[in-house]
Amino acid sequence: MERVIKISEAYEAPYLPLQDLDNSSFNQLGHEQKLNRSLGVLSNFAVSFSIISVLGGLTTTFSTGLTFGGTVTIIYGFPIAGFFTLIVGLAMAEICSAYPTSGGLYYWSGKLSGSEWGPFASWVTGWYASLQLDPTISLQPFQSISC
């Protein structure tokens, strides 16, 4: 006997156990899960740290901050910018939980743009992300040395 949840008088939804919730939301998007979408704590940290590159990013921005704003920029600017970056990250995490796919940003932009502009938004987002990520990762060691 299949268990159902009564949502209203006219509609009932099937009960999905918690372990199937992720796969069922992925199936509702019209996809079949083929990719193992699990990372350990160390793997997740390694990928995030290598893409963000905190040390490389901080050393390249210190000279700009000190030159144009002085110590006030360093003391107050970094925490304020970090706070707003955290807000953007939380918003993206919310979108990621709503559309749990391996496509990432280009898939989100396609879904959020609607059926008319979705393909174009996905195309622009995908190309922009790939064109800016490759030079960023490859040039960060040289930016750190030049400071």
Side-chain angles (χ1 to χ4, degrees), residues 2-8 10-16 28:
E2 185 178 322
R3 298 188 311 187
V4 295
I5 299 172
K6 192 170 187 175
I7 296 176
S8 67
Y11 184 71
E12 292 180 342
Y15 171 76
L16 301 171
Q28 288 173 355

Side-chain angles (χ1 to χ4, degrees), residues 68-112:
F68 295 108
T71 55
V72 174
T73 302
I74 301 297
I75 292 172
Y76 296 113
F78 280 131
I80 291 170
F83 174 74
F84 286 111
T85 303
L86 181 65
I87 290 174
V88 170
L90 291 173
M92 290 179 75
E94 187 67 26
I95 294 172
C96 179
S97 68
Y99 299 112
T101 63
S102 61
L105 291 175
Y106 70 90
Y107 186 80
W108 303 342
S109 63
K111 282 293 189 184
L112 295 173

Side-chain angles (χ1 to χ4, degrees), residues 49 51-66 73-75 77-79 81-82 85 140 143-145 147:
F49 192 79
I51 290 175
I52 295 170
S53 187
V54 176
L55 297 175
L58 282 177
T59 56
T60 57
T61 56
F62 270 137
S63 63
T64 306
L66 287 173
T73 302
I74 301 297
I75 292 172
F78 280 131
T85 303
Q140 278 181 348
Q143 290 172 342
S144 299
I145 293 170
C147 286

